[in-house]
Amino acid sequence: MTSAQIENVVPDAVDLFTAAHRLDPYPGYRRLREASGPTAIRLGDTEVTVLSRFADCAAALQSGTWGHGNVDKLSPFWDQEASLPGSFIRMDPPDHRRLRGLVNKAFSARMVADLAPMITQLVDRLVDRAVKDGGLDIVQGLSAPIALAMVGRRLLGVPEQDADLLRSWELAIARGTDPEPLLSAEEIKRRDEAGAAVVAYMMELIGRRKAHPEDDLLSRLVAVEEAGDALSVPEVIGICVLLLVAGMETSINLVGNGILALLAHPDQLELLRQRPELAGPAVEEILRYDTPTQFTMRVALTDTTIGDRQFHRGDGVIVLMGSADRDTEVFTEPDRIDVTRYAPPSRASRHLGFSLGLHYCMGAPLARLEASTAIRTLIERAPGLRLATDEPLSYQPSVIHRGLVSLPVELAPTAA
Ligand code: HEM
């Protein structure tokens, strides 16, 4: 036992992070929530505490006494920072504030609104072609191309011909963001090689943008780096790697998880078809019901408590947002997907899909726009949307990121 005063070790909890739970982690989360509050588990040599209830998760995310502790080498979690350039998602103030502030401007409501026509055009093109073809893979043929165009090209400045390369690096790094003890030696190697390849690639691209700036976020970051000491080149690269994983894997998975949930609940799909204006609220509900980022980690920066539990400086917690958002203390019928749950004037509690507090997702407006455009267009243009396989669907191996490897669907242009 570490210094956290924890009695109730639920053996089931460790199973949460095994392949058996990947298909449907939610019954396991429920058992955990109902059995106990904070629950100690062992990850490799490390004991950490899993927070599964909404109130406990929200407390850790919002309180300044919890952070990452990397500067003080407090973190009991994983060591990928050694192979990947540090990114501010794992930093505490003041570095976090400085770096987030520099990138934040690029995510203003105005910037996202400017991207709207481009997203609409791309989604129209992809869906029209798929309707002609009679089907598509939602992940490979819709959500991944959107994310590659927005994050890959518009933000990171990566040209279209390198999209496949970027996606393969992104997948290896996304898998590698799971806690280190859950990774095989081969996965760690692939992550580290992908990390090194991205760093070399971005170094080269930064050189090109210095000579010839373009209309992308990378050029703006390079200009800040060149203007003074506000940003260093390794920090620019750290931001790029962060956007690659935080921005791409998540938004790809949101659309896949969402369409799958709607196919599994035809009444909700039909409701959305009749009331397409519910696409926005439906995206919020998908973020609650089957969120792409299942958990995050925090470290106690001082001795502190959550509920009646005491933690000591350096203790680690896993904040299980995927569980918090199914908590009956906060949500009515949380295991039911209801695309009207977040429709005005509803007063449903906010979900934790984009986290809370200092690290609240910066890309939330962009992710919402991408997903609602994709889902709405697909449903409007293809009333005959249905699953195109009887085979079991497979999930990506990551446990932090929840998303399908592929989701083949059939599309019929008009209702019979
Ligand atoms: C459905 C899509 C998305 C989901 C579910 C999601 C989820 C999250 C979550 C849960 C966090 C906080 C992690 C923590 O508290 O430890 C986060 C942070 C972040 N996200 Fe997203 N995200 C999504 C899309 C995006 C996009 C499209 C971008 C950018 C292009 C982005 C950029 C970021 C950044 C930069 C942070 C770090 C913020 C900080 O540390 O201050 N995300 N995201």
Side-chain angles (χ1 to χ4, degrees):
M1 283 277 174
T2 62
S3 47
Q5 294 174 356
I6 290 157
E7 307 89 44
N8 49 353
V9 175
V10 179
D12 243 13
V14 189
D15 294 347
L16 290 176
F17 304 120
T18 63
H21 276 267
R22 211 153 279 145
L23 265 185
D24 184 7
Y26 299 105
Y29 292 169
R30 186 176 58 236
R31 283 198 297 280
L32 196 60
R33 270 193 320 272
E34 289 172 359
S36 64
T39 300
I41 65 165
R42 187 161 283 287
L43 279 179
D45 299 336
T46 313
E47 192 178 281
V48 296
T49 299
V50 179
L51 306 177
S52 58
R53 294 177 179 166
F54 189 98
D56 293 343
C57 291
L61 294 175
Q62 275 179 308
S63 157
T65 54
W66 291 90
H68 293 286
N70 281 342
V71 174
D72 294 338
K73 304 262 179 279
L74 276 177
S75 179
F77 289 107
W78 68 111
D79 193 32
Q80 91 236 18
E81 303 288 351
S83 59
L84 290 175
S87 67
F88 60 84
I89 199 167
R90 298 280 170 248
M91 289 179 190
D92 299 321
D95 282 340
H96 171 264
R97 194 181 309 116
R98 175 175 61 88
L99 293 171
R100 182 171 167 123
L102 288 171
V103 184
N104 218 357
K105 293 187 194 102
F107 288 94
S108 62
R110 163 103 194 278
M111 169 273 193
V112 174
D114 284 352
L115 290 177
M118 206 179 302
I119 296 175
T120 305
Q121 217 178 30
L122 176 63
V123 170
D124 281 350
R125 188 158 54 77
L126 293 168
V127 172
D128 282 348
R129 194 171 64 201
V131 168
K132 267 199 208 105
D133 294 347
L136 92 162
D137 180 341
I138 295 289
V139 179
Q140 313 302 340
L142 185 64
S143 60
I146 300 170
L148 282 161
M150 291 304 125
V151 179
R153 275 208 298 291
R154 293 295 309 165
L155 300 183
L156 304 183
V158 173
E160 194 168 359
Q161 69 264 23
D162 291 338
D164 288 346
L165 202 55
L166 197 68
R167 172 77 164 133
S168 69
W169 291 333
E170 178 271 313
L171 277 172
I173 299 172
R175 170 59 179 140
T177 50
D178 275 354
E180 195 104 359
L182 300 177
L183 303 175
S184 69
E186 182 55 32
E187 286 168 331
I188 292 175
K189 183 166 166 275
R190 276 206 296 271
R191 175 195 71 200
D192 292 352
E193 285 169 359
V198 170
V199 171
Y201 183 95
M202 292 313 300
M203 282 298 288
E204 215 248 291
L205 201 55
I206 286 170
R208 278 195 265 152
R209 289 300 188 273
K210 280 190 181 185
H212 303 288
E214 289 193 17
D215 182 21
D216 50 37
L217 174 67
L218 182 66
S219 299
R220 293 199 286 281
L221 293 175
V222 165
V224 174
E225 186 271 322
E226 289 203 299
D229 56 6
L231 196 58
S232 66
V233 169
E235 285 172 338
V236 173
I237 293 177
I239 291 169
C240 293
V241 176
L242 169 59
L243 294 180
L244 184 63
V245 179
M248 209 181 271
E249 191 56 20
T250 49
S251 33
I252 293 173
N253 293 338
L254 179 59
V255 175
N257 294 0
I259 295 292
L260 179 64
L262 293 170
L263 288 170
H265 298 88
D267 60 320
Q268 297 299 300
L269 185 64
E270 187 50 37
L271 188 55
L272 211 46
R273 190 167 285 142
Q274 296 191 354
R275 294 179 56 196
E277 75 280 6
L278 286 175
V283 166
E284 295 312 306
E285 175 67 341
I286 295 160
L287 281 158
R288 181 198 69 79
Y289 179 79
D290 197 16
T291 198
T293 312
Q294 291 281 302
F295 64 88
T296 183
M297 289 87 144
R298 290 291 188 272
V299 178
L301 300 176
T302 57
D303 292 358
T304 185
T305 55
I306 288 187
D308 56 3
R309 298 293 170 142
Q310 293 192 355
F311 295 88
H312 289 257
R313 183 171 186 268
D315 287 341
V317 289
I318 287 181
V319 184
L320 210 45
M321 288 97 80
S323 167
D325 284 345
R326 299 282 191 114
D327 191 335
T328 46
E329 292 289 315
V330 177
F331 299 99
T332 315
E333 291 191 83
D335 293 326
R336 195 165 72 83
I337 180 167
D338 171 3
V339 295
T340 66
R341 190 185 296 268
Y342 286 101
S346 145
R347 301 168 69 92
S349 165
R350 67 187 295 180
H351 58 75
L352 301 186
F354 287 131
S355 189
L356 279 181
L358 282 186
H359 292 277
Y360 181 79
C361 176
M362 279 178 65
L366 177 60
R368 287 181 167 122
L369 184 64
E370 287 178 11
S372 59
T373 308
I375 290 173
R376 182 176 178 150
T377 309
L378 199 63
I379 289 175
E380 277 181 345
R381 303 266 171 96
L385 179 71
R386 63 167 180 265
L387 201 58
T389 176
D390 298 328
E391 299 294 314
L393 296 167
S394 44
Y395 279 83
Q396 298 286 1
S398 171
V399 286
I400 286 192
H401 296 289
R402 178 166 169 74
L404 295 158
V405 175
S406 82
L407 179 61
V409 294
E410 281 176 17
L411 306 175
T414 49

